[in-house]
Amino acid sequence: MQEKKGFSLNGYAVFVILLVIAGFVLSQAATNNINIATVIVAILAVLAIPGFFMVQPNQAMVMTFFGSYVGTVKSNGLQWTIPLFIRKSISLRIRNFESNQMKVNDYHGNPIEIATVVVWSVDDTAEAFFEVDDYLSFVNIQSESALRNMAISYPYDQHEGDEIALRSHPQEISQALKEEIQQRLGKAGMKVHEARISHLAYAPEIANAMLQRQQASAIIAARSMIVDGAVGMVEMALSQLSAKHIVELDEERKAAMVSNLLVVLCSDKSTQPVVNTGSLY
């Protein structure tokens, strides 16, 4: 079912017409010149009064006639339509939905806690009213279902190369979540403007273990950077010593020097040098 424009007239213009009709009927009654046409006009004017309704900004009025959808009125202000039309108001304003924190398993099977905030609005009033029983409940349930399905499709942390993860790629995850929710809510005439993760954490039972894992990964990455820098510094020291002919070292002494420099540069604590005051060897 697709939305279509419903029949309505400017309510202020119709109100003026009814005032003119009322004045005409009263003038006829004052002169005792009432006939059948005047009575019919008066009855029609009275019956037309229930046809007035007000449409607020960013709201719409869905109209039905004996169970059939006849259209939607979105024009703001006082409107008039056929009094037999049943009218129901629906908001077109942008709304927020914040899901509850859910415990799910990520792509690697790790239990995590996750929640989302969805910004949405009604795009097709006919679908929102007639395709689902309660579109507000539909938004809530389908948003949480989409979040759960998206969470199990990605890992919590990035482990390999350019792998997209929940924690390290917020923009990509938000776009994927928005598309997942829009696919579900589009059936009910909803438009998803934005969807973002509002809460993301490991479940309490594995939080400490995963924290240690993250700390270990950070330490390994830092050590790798330190080693790369230390090797470069040792290589530069040996090349400059050789180029400037400061001292000539054989392979055994070079190996000892490299070992000592790497210990000094890679150690996480201050080293205590031992000064040899005797001979070079």
Side-chain angles (χ1 to χ4, degrees):
M1 181 176 292
Q2 297 296 321
E3 178 184 284
K4 61 182 179 180
K5 185 177 181 180
F7 170 75
S8 66
L9 299 175
N10 188 289
Y12 301 103
V14 176
F15 182 73
V16 171
I17 293 173
L18 292 181
L19 287 180
V20 172
I21 294 175
F24 171 75
V25 172
L26 290 176
S27 65
Q28 293 295 315
T31 59
N32 293 324
N33 191 21
I34 298 179
N35 51 33
I36 298 299
T38 303
V39 173
I40 294 175
V41 170
I43 293 174
L44 292 177
V46 173
L47 293 177
I49 293 177
F52 288 99
F53 62 95
M54 188 70 70
V55 180
Q56 302 294 335
N58 276 332
Q59 286 192 339
M61 201 68 68
V62 180
M63 302 186 299
T64 58
F65 180 66
F66 290 107
S68 298
Y69 171 65
V70 294
T72 301
V73 177
K74 295 183 177 180
S75 302
N76 297 333
L78 183 63
Q79 301 292 320
W80 181 88
T81 189
I82 299 174
L84 294 177
F85 288 173
I86 297 176
R87 303 174 293 273
K88 294 183 179 180
S89 178
I90 183 172
S91 176
L92 303 178
R93 297 184 177 97
I94 296 177
R95 313 184 197 186
N96 285 326
F97 165 69
E98 184 173 6
S99 69
N100 298 319
Q101 293 184 13
M102 300 183 298
K103 182 182 291 186
V104 298
N105 292 333
D106 69 355
Y107 182 75
H108 292 151
N110 300 317
I112 62 174
E113 291 180 347
I114 191 170
T116 183
V117 172
V118 181
V119 182
W120 64 279
S121 64
V122 174
D123 187 50
D124 191 303
T125 57
E127 290 184 342
F129 250 107
F130 303 114
E131 293 294 340
V132 293
D133 184 55
D134 183 353
Y135 68 90
L136 293 176
S137 176
F138 185 80
V139 170
N140 298 350
I141 295 174
Q142 292 299 323
S143 296
E144 292 186 349
S145 176
L147 176 63
R148 185 182 299 274
N149 184 66
M150 188 275 301
I152 65 176
S153 302
Y154 297 95
Y156 180 91
D157 266 323
Q158 185 179 20
H159 298 294
E160 299 177 359
D162 297 331
E163 181 183 29
I164 297 179
L166 297 173
R167 190 173 66 90
S168 59
H169 294 76
Q171 298 296 331
E172 291 82 354
I173 294 299
S174 296
Q175 184 62 31
L177 179 59
K178 177 183 175 181
E179 294 175 356
E180 178 80 16
I181 298 176
Q182 180 62 66
Q183 183 179 1
R184 296 167 181 259
L185 299 187
K187 305 174 184 177
M190 309 299 170
K191 180 179 180 181
V192 179
H193 301 275
E194 184 180 5
R196 292 187 178 275
I197 294 178
S198 60
H199 173 78
L200 181 63
Y202 280 115
E205 57 267 25
I206 66 165
N208 291 333
M210 289 302 175
L211 178 59
Q212 293 177 359
R213 179 178 179 179
Q214 292 175 356
Q215 291 174 343
S217 298
I219 292 174
I220 292 174
R223 288 294 182 185
S224 177
M225 186 178 298
I226 291 174
V227 170
D228 289 341
V231 170
M233 295 175 67
V234 170
E235 183 180 3
M236 180 180 63
L238 291 176
S239 62
Q240 290 188 8
L241 288 173
S242 177
K244 296 181 179 181
H245 304 287
I246 296 176
V247 63
E248 295 294 337
L249 300 174
D250 57 19
E251 295 301 323
E252 182 181 354
R253 299 306 175 186
K254 285 183 179 181
M257 181 179 179
V258 169
S259 175
N260 293 335
L261 285 176
L262 287 177
V263 170
V264 172
L265 295 174
C266 297
S267 175
D268 59 348
K269 296 182 180 180
S270 299
T271 57
Q272 300 295 327
V274 176
V275 180
N276 184 356
T277 60
S279 63
L280 178 62
Y281 304 110

